[in-house]
Amino acid sequence: MKGKLKLITVLFFLTVVTYAQKVTISGTIKDKKTTETLIGVNIYIQELNTGTSTNEYGFYSLTVPTGNYTIKLSYLGFETIEETIELNQSIKIDFSLLESGESLEEVIVTSNKKRADIKNTEMSVNKLSIQTIKKIPVVLGEVDIIKSILQLPGVTNAGEGQSGFNVRGGSADQNLILLDEATVYNSSHLFGFFSVFNSDAIKDLKLYKGGIPARFGGRLSSVLDIYQKEGNKDDYKFSGGVGVISSRLMAEGPIEKGKGSFLIAGRASYGHLFLKLSDNKNSASFYDLNTKLNYSLNEKNKLFLSGYFGRDLFNLNNAFENTYGNTFTNLRWNHLYSDKLFSNMSMIYSDYYYGLKFGTLDFNWKSSIQNFNLKYDFKHYLGNSTNLTYGINSQYYSFNPGIIEPTDSNSGIIRKQLDKKFAFEPALYFDVNQNISEKLSINYGLRYSMFYRLGQQEVNIYANNQAVVFNPIFKIYEKATPIGIKSYNKNETIASFNNLEPRVAVTYVINNSQSIKASYNRMSQYLHLISNTQSPTPLDIWAPSDDFFKPQILDQVAIGYFRNFNDEDYSLEIETFYKKIKNRVDYIDGADLIANNSIEQTILNGKGRSYGVEMMLRKNSGKLSGWISYTLSRAEQQTPGRTEIETGINNGKWYKSGYDKLHNLSVTATYNRSDKWSFGSVFSLQSGQPVTFPDGQYEYGGIIVPSFGLRNENRLPTYHHLDLSATYIPKPKKQKGWQGEWIFSIYNVYNRQNAASINFQQNENTGANEAVKFSIFGIVPGITYNFKF
């Protein structure tokens, strides 16, 4: 007995000693010049071959044995530093990094290249620095985040002047766009010409195309995660720019020096003023405002308050006015329970508003979606090899599909409110990142999502629960006639769903320069954008899942090869993917989606699939840098008949979706000629957008009526253009006072007339049928002056 007690005592003593020999180093990493916290900084301890990265608030934590170590910090666009530290007890160390080209004292400084991340389990993820985005030439010289991510593999859009973007063959509504964790429902200004994101106010962005972490949910194809700057905690700073059609101004500074800061950034267009000078009574303009406050209560508690407000205004000869835009506010509380447990609670409100005024018709139209979101997230640093992320998320939705209000009591128009809809979407998740060995790492997680479609509403009842019926004589789908109505009280459940969404990603490191990665994720989407256009429009409305709009379910697998070579001067990323979607919404021929109170009478549930190969070859260093991205892919959907008699959509066959782009090539380059001059260029080439052209015609009652074949069996002509830019900094060495730069750009250098659409009509003179191409942009020069002080 005494021997056993002695053995237990020894084992206990060894356990205590072993535990005592472990210490934790934690802290925050910031930009030394701006005091902004940095997201995704790599922290690596060479002697232990272990490391971690900062979270969305710049926090890191590492638990290691006591000893002397060399710690290495690297971050895209910043100098990599190495510093020797002695760890004999748990300690909090904050680091500051400087942008490339500057220097630090008492540490080793090396160049940080945009190399491929070999060891991280993340794949199908792209990150662009704001410095890179600002060097990419775009139309009229306006820096545009959405247009910039179109240069990445697997990302396309419907063409020039089109809103939204498509990822791996998915529709635009399948992208979750977050700005400071708040959902952005419409990412475009001026119907797609510009994005809603003011680049001056943006700190970091990351695009997830696959291997999506379990903390994200609610959309199928991608997550675009964007964070605003926090503001300078030490000094008051101002920056802005004057462009061809818009200008912007940003102010930032300390609320209390070293503890809190503010940021406010505004942007407005003035192109409509030039129209007025030419007696043109039409106008189109936009404005937006970004704000952020943060304050450190103490070392363990921080508060953040973020906000955005944007509006687009369109006026057609005072007979038609259109106003739309996004609004959000987010109150966040960061709390550090210990040096290993970080938490963040967010209370978020966001909405999207759309309004129309018809002066000649004497009525107004308004629609909106409102979203209330409460989320609590935890990041638990369990040790060198294991990190755990977990949390809860609950969202409440209020949908107003439309209200018609007369502006004149004598107009004869009756006030009409389309049925408002309500929904509740809670979710739980956990995510584990684990290093199994030096060569093998795995990230696995699970999200459990629920969705409740709530009253108050009167819901149509249909025979066999089918809101669409098939006419076997004409072989077409038609609206079904309701056989009754069921009333639901406020907050009574109309329909409910729940789904388990597993996620897993694996990395096997072949050697220090190359690795193989694979991932699988399941996603559920309970919201649907009601639109039968290839690109979202401000008029499109959102609808919740119910007995007719089934939740969309996606399964995606991907495998990739990643390599750095030639001393990391070059990197190569190759991925192949396969996606399949259940309950993909499809519309019957002739679907009427505008102001339809029974929208279920226009849709059928089908399925979709997409697959392809993506390649990205990047040159990371030297005066000339950039990348070549190419995607070969296919996106299709199918809506078969529900019975043997029904033909389905497109005769029940697979057909190209509106987002199918077989070829997608982008070449992006930056050349730094000197401290004063730098140049940028982008060449883009995509397969034409799938469309349905008439394949014949017939005469009915003296009118020529076109007939159409199968859906999307035609294409618009191949889309391509070359863009150039030049940046001139008159005084590059100047670090204080007024600092300015000029940006000159030419969009579509060789004046390619890319087809936005092709219309078919009869020639008035000859009576012959003809195809007429409509193009938006030819060659477009631009100039912008940026400043800061």
Side-chain angles (χ1 to χ4, degrees), residues 617-789:
L617 176 64
R618 188 192 294 269
K619 186 177 186 298
N620 301 319
S621 60
K623 288 192 171 185
L624 177 65
S625 61
W627 67 86
I628 299 173
S629 71
Y630 174 71
T631 305
L632 176 69
S633 64
R634 177 67 75 201
E636 300 170 315
Q637 61 188 88
Q638 181 190 41
T639 307
R642 296 167 296 188
T643 66
E644 293 182 359
I645 299 174
E646 294 187 11
T647 59
I649 302 296
N650 213 62
N651 294 326
K653 299 178 181 178
W654 285 99
Y655 67 93
K656 301 181 188 71
S657 77
Y659 326 107
D660 178 79
K661 297 290 181 71
L662 181 62
H663 301 285
N664 178 23
L665 172 69
S666 177
V667 182
T668 305
T670 300
Y671 179 69
N672 295 311
R673 184 179 183 275
S674 64
D675 290 342
K676 289 188 174 183
W677 283 100
S678 63
F679 302 90
S681 67
V682 170
F683 175 73
S684 300
L685 183 146
Q686 296 179 11
S687 297
Q689 178 181 321
V691 291
T692 306
F693 291 151
D695 60 359
Q697 64 182 35
Y698 59 92
E699 186 175 338
Y700 181 80
I703 300 175
I704 301 298
V705 180
S707 62
F708 294 87
L710 299 177
R711 284 193 184 183
N712 291 345
E713 63 178 353
N714 309 110
R715 283 189 184 274
L716 293 178
T718 301
Y719 169 91
H720 57 86
H721 60 88
L722 172 66
D723 314 321
L724 301 175
S725 69
T727 301
Y728 173 65
I729 305 175
K731 298 180 179 180
K733 302 296 184 182
K734 190 175 183 181
Q735 297 296 318
K736 295 183 179 181
W738 187 277
Q739 303 166 60
E741 66 177 16
W742 291 93
I743 299 178
F744 309 93
S745 65
I746 302 177
Y747 179 87
N748 197 0
V749 171
Y750 50 82
N751 198 32
R752 165 74 173 178
Q753 301 296 307
N754 286 300
S757 64
I758 293 180
N759 299 314
F760 293 83
Q761 63 187 32
Q762 276 188 313
N763 187 289
E764 294 182 357
N765 298 322
T766 65
N769 293 331
E770 61 181 6
V772 180
K773 181 176 71 174
F774 172 67
S775 299
I776 297 178
F777 290 125
I779 183 171
V780 183
I783 182 172
T784 301
Y785 178 71
N786 296 324
F787 60 86
K788 58 183 178 179
F789 59 94

Side-chain angles (χ1 to χ4, degrees), residues 314-451:
F314 179 70
N315 188 304
L316 184 61
N317 198 22
N318 295 323
F320 168 85
E321 293 184 26
N322 180 202
T323 303
Y324 65 93
N326 302 277
T327 304
F328 88 77
T329 183
N330 182 7
L331 177 62
R332 285 175 287 173
W333 169 47
N334 282 181
H335 178 65
L336 196 61
Y337 285 95
S338 70
D339 54 8
K340 295 183 180 181
L341 181 57
F342 179 93
S343 72
N344 176 71
M345 177 182 285
S346 298
M347 293 179 289
I348 308 167
Y349 167 80
S350 62
D351 76 41
Y352 173 69
Y353 167 84
Y354 182 83
L356 293 172
K357 293 182 179 181
F358 295 92
T360 56
L361 301 178
D362 298 323
F363 76 89
N364 297 337
W365 164 278
K366 299 177 183 177
S367 66
S368 65
I369 175 175
Q370 295 178 307
N371 173 216
F372 303 87
N373 188 357
L374 175 64
K375 58 196 297 286
Y376 202 8
D377 302 298
F378 297 84
K379 183 70 175 285
H380 206 154
Y381 301 84
L382 298 179
N384 288 346
S385 60
T386 306
N387 293 330
L388 176 63
T389 305
Y390 50 93
I392 58 174
N393 179 209
S394 60
Q395 300 190 69
Y396 180 81
Y397 299 96
S398 175
F399 304 85
N400 180 5
I403 179 173
I404 298 174
E405 295 179 320
T407 56
D408 187 342
S409 58
N410 299 319
S411 65
I413 296 175
I414 301 175
R415 184 182 186 275
K416 180 181 180 181
Q417 169 70 63
L418 300 181
D419 290 342
K420 290 185 177 181
K421 301 175 182 179
F422 306 93
F424 179 57
E425 183 181 355
L428 308 169
Y429 78 90
F430 76 89
D431 208 19
V432 181
N433 194 73
Q434 192 168 12
N435 296 324
I436 306 299
S437 67
E438 289 187 4
K439 289 185 174 292
L440 183 64
S441 301
I442 184 171
N443 181 282
Y444 52 94
L446 182 68
R447 183 181 184 89
Y448 178 54
S449 61
M450 296 154 278
F451 190 84

Side-chain angles (χ1 to χ4, degrees), residues 110 207 239 264 283 318 333 423 457 564 574 576 666 683 730 767 779:
T110 59
L207 177 67
S239 61
I264 181 168
S283 67
N318 295 323
W333 169 47
Q457 188 182 346
N564 294 311
I574 300 175
T576 182
S666 177
F683 175 73
I779 183 171

Side-chain angles (χ1 to χ4, degrees), residues 587-615:
Y587 300 95
I588 64 175
D589 293 332
D592 180 15
L593 306 182
I594 306 299
N596 190 338
N597 209 28
S598 301
I599 199 71
E600 71 274 4
Q601 297 175 347
T602 65
I603 65 106
L604 292 170
N605 289 301
K607 55 186 176 181
R609 67 185 182 192
S610 61
Y611 47 91
V613 178
E614 300 172 350
M615 183 274 290

